[in-house]
Amino acid sequence: MDLNVQQNNKGPIIEFAGVSKTYNSGTHALADVNIRISKGEFVFVVGSSGAGKSTFMKLIMREEKANSGQIKVNGFDLTKMPRKQIPMLRRTMGIVFQDFRLIPNMNVFDNVAFAMRVVGKPSRIIRKEVSKALSMVGLGHKARSMPNQLSGGEQQRVGLARALVNSPDLIIADEPTGNVDPNMSYEIVSLLSAINAKGTTILMVTHDHNLVRDFKHRVIMLDGGRIVADNAGGFEQ
Amino acid sequence: MRLGSAKYLFGEGVKNVWVNRLMTIASVGVLTACMVLIGLALLISFNVDKALGNLEQQNVVMVYFNDKNSVLYGDSAPILAEGETFDAKNITDSQFLVHNKEEALSIVNEIKGMDNVADATYVSKEEALESVKKTMLEGKEQYFEFLDEDGGNPLSDGARVKLSDMATFNETVEKIKAVSGVSTVQSQGELADVINSIKSGVGMAGVWIVLILLVISLVIVSNTIRVTMYNRKLEISIMKAVGATDGFIRVPFVVEGVAIGIISAIFAETLVYFCYRIATDTIMGSLGTSTIVSFSSKALLLLGVFVAIGVFAGVFGSIVMISKYLKKEGSEFSAI
Ligand SMILES: Nc1ncnc2c1ncn2[C@@H]1O[C@H](COP(=O)(O)OP(=O)(O)OP(=O)(O)O)[C@@H](O)[C@H]1O
Ligand SMILES: [Mg+2]
């Protein structure tokens, strides 16, 4: 535990204090979660199906609201924040989807540019930043391709470029490697690690034990809505 | 908002119209139909108004004064002092109010100054007799020569009063009756009542038709927008995830709604023009009336009404739908 503090002496970017989430259906998805993630960390979130991993991520991006406790993300107090503030919170984070969510009738460039256009960035900056993000994920040469001309791994790298392009402080990814083959999974986590090395905080849900073992990042394990393990340097096997 | 974003949002809205063209055609069709009905209802009511206006212009009331003749021939009761009895052969000046032309003219002026009176002109009993002779006794003058003898004219001095508004016809007549020196008022109150009830009937029917059609228009547009929204779920989820504001997400849908509204307005104007031309040609051909309201005099007004309806339905229809959708938490992250 102390390792964490030692490893990251920067301020917190995510703080959960006594957070519980019960869905309207009555399911207790999270119970009394206390966690602190510092700026610049890379965190794997693991746990069996139904453990509450996606719920944890949705609370961070304020797609769901906690029933009790306090959540702070990037300086926003999510439990007190009005709905109108949600877009401002989201602009500080990049989101990677398991199902890629590329718009099929837009080429790679436009898919990435979309994330900038809809928050009103000027086109001069869009051109520059999109090219940068695409070369960062190694797809500079595929800018004019359509999504259906790409492999699953390439599509997810486009998704990664889109999450990156607005230079977020935090990237959250719920099973980003869930739909790609193992080799590609390594490539994607390597990319995320490279992005992390430049200072961006990464939060990634995964079921893939190999990834968690090979990339030595902090691991938070959920079970039945509670945090049951939190190891700074990967799995203690 | 930046010019770039504005162009982007507008372009997206127009694109929606095309991508969604089957739905667009359907809703433009229904919206146009609603507008055409509203337009025709308006044109009918303009024509009713005009026809009634012609009737109204003929609406003149005759006012007779309380003069010697009015007492003598029984239109007014004599004004009697206590203990005095009425003797038709010896009527005194104090038994009636209007004794000469000056007094008559001052009453005419008083009436002229009343609200809702367009004009009032003095009519002497001699003039009144002339017009009675002209209209009622034509060809039989020889039987009525006694009327020209001194004291043979039984009519009273009076005034011809023209009213401006039918709606307050009866109240005005009552006010004129209350003027000191007025004996009787001859009016066609029933005509006023009929005109007023036709007017308010047409008005009420018009209001209901317009309201119902407006609701239909709103429903149509919002359903079209719902289809677009469904088609663009993916884009909306990404927009929400990257922090686009609700206002921004809404714009293309509002543009789409307004575009549908304006296209419909243009179709409606054209259709109403042709419908009205066919209708008026037929009516004029068979009735030979020339008192029909011309389309060109109302063309701009109608276009304005159609565009207003189109924009209203477009803006509200889309905002209602999209706001309902955006309020729903979720769908950004989970599978769509
Ligand atoms: N929108 C919802 N409404 C009601 N119950 C929900 C909802 N979302 C999740 N749950 C329930 O909450 C619990 C936690 O779900 P969550 O999606 O967080 O699990 P998870 O750890 O992401 O699982 P998985 O590995 O299968 O993705 C589950 O029991 C799930 O059925
Ligand atoms: Mg999940």
Side-chain angles (χ1 to χ4, degrees):
Chain A
M1 284 290 166
D2 284 339
L3 262 175
N4 276 337
V5 182
Q6 196 185 343
Q7 195 178 33
N8 301 287
N9 42 17
K10 291 179 179 174
I13 191 163
I14 297 171
E15 277 180 295
F16 276 53
V19 173
S20 296
K21 172 67 187 174
T22 306
Y23 285 107
N24 288 338
S25 60
T27 311
H28 301 288
L30 288 179
D32 191 29
V33 171
N34 294 284
I35 195 92
R36 186 187 146 110
I37 294 168
S38 302
K39 284 182 182 144
E41 277 195 272
F42 190 126
V43 180
F44 284 125
V45 180
V46 300
S48 54
S49 186
K53 305 180 295 294
S54 294
T55 303
F56 179 65
M57 304 295 256
K58 286 178 187 173
L59 288 176
I60 292 169
M61 63 180 284
R62 185 58 164 76
E63 183 178 328
E64 294 287 351
K65 234 180 139 172
N67 300 97
S68 59
Q70 197 185 38
I71 304 176
K72 281 188 179 166
V73 175
N74 251 337
F76 292 85
D77 186 341
L78 270 52
T79 34
K80 292 208 189 88
M81 189 176 81
R83 231 184 72 84
K84 270 179 70 176
Q85 281 278 312
I86 296 177
M88 299 309 134
L89 167 75
R90 302 257 171 94
R91 287 177 196 196
T92 68
M93 50 179 71
I95 295 164
V96 183
F97 304 93
Q98 177 176 359
D99 55 359
F100 319 141
R101 283 206 205 167
L102 303 182
I103 299 160
N105 55 4
M106 282 186 194
N107 67 26
V108 165
F109 182 93
D110 287 333
N111 261 287
V112 178
F114 186 72
M116 299 188 84
R117 288 206 176 105
V118 300
V119 294
K121 297 272 170 67
S123 37
R124 183 175 42 84
I125 294 185
I126 294 179
R127 266 195 303 279
K128 200 176 90 195
E129 294 298 321
V130 172
S131 307
K132 243 168 72 183
L134 283 178
S135 43
M136 172 89 201
V137 300
L139 286 178
H141 60 293
K142 297 263 185 177
R144 302 282 150 222
S145 304
M146 298 306 280
N148 62 6
Q149 298 167 328
L150 304 177
S151 73
E154 285 171 328
Q155 288 186 44
Q156 190 56 301
R157 276 146 65 194
V158 177
L160 209 53
R162 182 177 61 197
L164 272 179
V165 76
N166 283 320
S167 318
D169 303 313
L170 170 69
I171 287 183
I172 61 179
D174 193 350
E175 297 187 47
T177 60
N179 286 355
V180 297
D181 66 53
N183 283 341
M184 265 305 162
S185 300
Y186 271 81
E187 206 165 306
I188 283 166
V189 181
S190 301
L191 269 172
L192 283 169
S193 301
I195 294 161
N196 173 245
K198 292 183 177 173
T200 308
T201 311
I202 312 275
L203 200 58
M204 168 176 162
V205 173
T206 184
H207 278 128
D208 190 333
H209 288 260
N210 297 326
L211 287 177
V212 174
R213 187 192 56 227
D214 295 343
F215 291 88
K216 304 244 177 290
H217 296 307
R218 179 178 173 189
V219 182
I220 293 171
M221 184 183 269
L222 284 168
D223 190 36
R226 291 176 188 277
I227 294 180
V228 293
D230 184 351
N231 303 310
F235 262 150
E236 291 167 351
Q237 301 281 1
Chain B
M1 187 183 294
R2 288 170 195 285
L3 189 64
S5 327
K7 236 166 64 189
Y8 167 77
L9 291 172
F10 188 79
E12 286 304 295
V14 173
K15 207 166 79 187
N16 284 349
V17 172
W18 179 245
V19 170
N20 211 359
R21 52 194 170 276
L22 217 64
M23 215 35 215
T24 303
I25 290 170
S27 56
V28 164
V30 178
L31 209 55
T32 303
C34 287
M35 289 176 182
V36 167
L37 290 176
I38 290 174
L40 292 178
L42 279 176
L43 284 168
I44 289 172
S45 84
F46 292 149
N47 275 300
V48 168
D49 258 12
K50 186 168 178 186
L52 294 180
N54 291 340
L55 276 180
E56 276 183 27
Q57 277 167 14
Q58 300 158 8
N59 195 68
V60 167
V61 298
M62 282 304 301
V63 176
Y64 293 104
F65 298 150
N66 182 273
D67 64 359
K68 188 172 176 181
N69 275 359
S70 81
V71 175
L72 190 55
Y73 295 102
D75 284 340
S76 310
I79 304 164
L80 297 176
E82 217 168 29
E84 197 179 6
T85 50
F86 178 60
D87 173 6
K89 290 201 181 70
N90 290 306
I91 296 172
T92 59
D93 278 359
S94 63
Q95 290 177 338
F96 55 93
L97 292 169
V98 179
H99 306 93
N100 50 42
K101 192 174 174 184
E102 279 68 48
E103 284 174 356
L105 282 176
S106 86
I107 298 174
V108 171
N109 277 331
E110 187 180 343
I111 293 173
K112 224 183 217 170
M114 291 168 66
D115 284 344
N116 195 27
V117 170
D119 195 22
T121 45
Y122 172 69
V123 181
S124 70
K125 51 178 165 288
E126 291 77 23
E127 286 168 325
L129 182 61
E130 281 311 306
S131 90
V132 168
K133 278 186 184 164
K134 236 190 267 160
T135 55
M136 295 162 77
L137 313 175
E138 207 165 56
K140 301 173 205 144
E141 285 88 352
Q142 70 271 28
Y143 305 116
F144 294 96
E145 274 165 4
F146 67 90
L147 288 174
D148 293 326
E149 290 166 15
D150 195 27
N153 182 356
L155 299 174
S156 297
D157 282 348
R160 184 179 289 113
V161 179
K162 212 167 162 182
L163 304 188
S164 37
D165 181 14
M166 283 302 233
T168 52
F169 183 92
N170 289 328
E171 287 99 300
T172 311
V173 167
E174 287 309 313
K175 275 191 206 144
I176 295 173
K177 274 185 184 159
V179 171
S180 161
V182 169
S183 152
T184 52
V185 177
Q186 281 182 3
S187 69
Q188 288 178 294
E190 311 79 43
L191 177 64
D193 288 345
V194 169
I195 288 179
N196 285 332
S197 68
I198 291 176
K199 264 186 156 177
S200 65
V202 169
M204 280 304 286
V207 166
W208 278 108
I209 290 173
V210 169
L211 278 181
I212 291 168
L213 294 174
L214 273 183
V215 170
I216 294 174
S217 308
L218 268 178
V219 170
I220 286 300
V221 173
S222 59
N223 269 301
T224 310
I225 299 300
R226 181 157 70 191
V227 171
T228 309
M229 243 162 46
Y230 190 82
N231 291 339
R232 312 200 101 197
K233 248 169 132 174
L234 173 67
E235 275 147 281
I236 294 174
S237 81
I238 297 164
M239 287 197 216
K240 286 178 86 175
V242 300
T245 56
D246 286 1
F248 189 97
I249 297 174
R250 227 178 257 146
V251 174
F253 297 96
V254 176
V255 170
E256 182 187 358
V258 170
I260 289 174
I262 289 177
I263 294 171
S264 307
I266 293 166
F267 277 124
E269 178 86 359
T270 318
L271 273 174
V272 167
Y273 168 74
F274 284 114
C275 288
Y276 193 64
R277 217 176 89 173
I278 292 167
T280 50
D281 282 357
T282 316
I283 291 169
M284 284 201 208
S286 56
L287 297 182
T289 28
S290 56
T291 54
I292 283 174
V293 176
S294 76
F295 181 82
S296 58
S297 69
K298 300 290 177 190
L300 260 176
L301 175 72
L302 285 176
L303 187 63
V305 168
F306 295 156
V307 169
I309 295 170
V311 169
F312 169 80
V315 169
F316 282 91
S318 53
I319 282 190
V320 165
M321 240 332 127
I322 186 84
S323 302
K324 223 168 85 185
Y325 183 84
L326 290 175
K327 277 237 170 59
K328 247 183 6 194
E329 304 262 346
S331 89
E332 292 97 307
F333 213 24
S334 31
I336 38 173

